[in-house]
Amino acid sequence: YSKKLDVVKIRVHGTLSLGQVLLTGRDVAIHDFGGVPWRRHSETRLKRSPLGDVGSMIRSYYYAGYEGFLTTSHVSKEEIKYLLSYADLWIHYMGGFFLHAYLDTVKQTDLIPKSKEEMKTMLQYYLLEKALYALNYELRNRPEKVAIPLAMIRDILKQ
């Protein structure tokens, strides 16, 4: 609160993930702009930082990377803990490719801060917000998948 970040807010997707992205062959289409289901319509119309959607997309890489390992019956539970490092590696690179492509696309706009330190602060905030939401959801509904948001939180805190 001590410093105002000078960035532009826009209408955002709200729940952007790999599940809302369709590759058409020549282009990418994004669907389901309904946003967060429990938010009132007036709330979904508020302008926000697009880095919230970036955080949502990176969270979906964690789910894509971990889900197969955590739900498979073809590998023993003892072996899975050793295989998860491959999921971490995949998430690191795929999330990194996405983030670098996004930042390169918007670098000449006012959608992101000009300062690297402010950019890091905003990105960590939105990543942590998405990870904590996912942790709360998994604890309440799918405790067997709690490792996914915990891995994301671990990686955010390492930065």
Side-chain angles (χ1 to χ4, degrees):
Y1 291 112
S2 64
K3 184 175 190 307
K4 182 181 182 321
L5 300 174
D6 191 26
V7 292
V8 172
K9 295 184 224 173
I10 60 172
R11 297 255 334 253
V12 297
H13 189 282
T15 57
L16 188 62
S17 71
L18 291 168
Q20 278 91 27
V21 177
L22 174 67
L23 299 175
T24 65
R26 292 187 175 180
D27 203 354
V28 174
I30 298 174
H31 71 91
D32 188 20
F33 279 87
V36 181
W38 59 88
R39 281 196 180 147
R40 291 185 301 253
H41 180 66
S42 59
E43 238 185 299
T44 61
R45 293 179 50 209
L46 292 175
K47 294 181 178 182
R48 305 178 193 289
S49 170
L51 291 176
D53 279 344
V54 170
S56 289
M57 183 61 82
I58 291 174
R59 178 185 59 198
S60 77
Y61 284 107
Y62 278 85
Y63 276 86
Y66 271 75
E67 192 103 19
F69 289 115
L70 296 178
T71 59
T72 186
S73 61
H74 301 291
V75 181
S76 72
K77 297 286 183 203
E78 297 80 36
E79 291 178 300
I80 288 175
K81 63 183 173 186
Y82 299 109
L83 295 173
L84 288 179
S85 62
Y86 293 106
D88 291 331
L89 187 64
W90 183 85
I91 293 162
H92 171 78
Y93 282 103
M94 294 299 106
F97 293 148
F98 169 76
L99 181 60
H100 287 292
Y102 179 84
L103 294 176
D104 190 51
T105 301
V106 299
K107 68 183 172 191
Q108 301 300 324
T109 71
D110 290 330
L111 293 173
I112 59 172
K114 301 295 181 223
S115 154
K116 286 186 181 193
E117 191 59 38
E118 289 177 356
M119 177 62 207
K120 181 180 178 183
T121 299
M122 280 188 75
L123 186 58
Q124 282 183 319
Y125 168 81
Y126 286 108
L127 288 169
L128 193 55
E129 176 187 54
K130 300 303 179 180
L132 290 174
Y133 170 83
L135 178 61
N136 184 39
Y137 180 85
E138 300 306 356
L139 284 170
R140 291 175 183 235
N141 300 293
R142 303 182 303 188
E144 69 278 4
K145 293 187 179 184
V146 77
I148 301 170
L150 286 176
M152 189 174 175
I153 293 167
R154 175 204 62 208
D155 292 345
I156 295 164
L157 296 177
K158 277 200 260 179
Q159 295 177 1

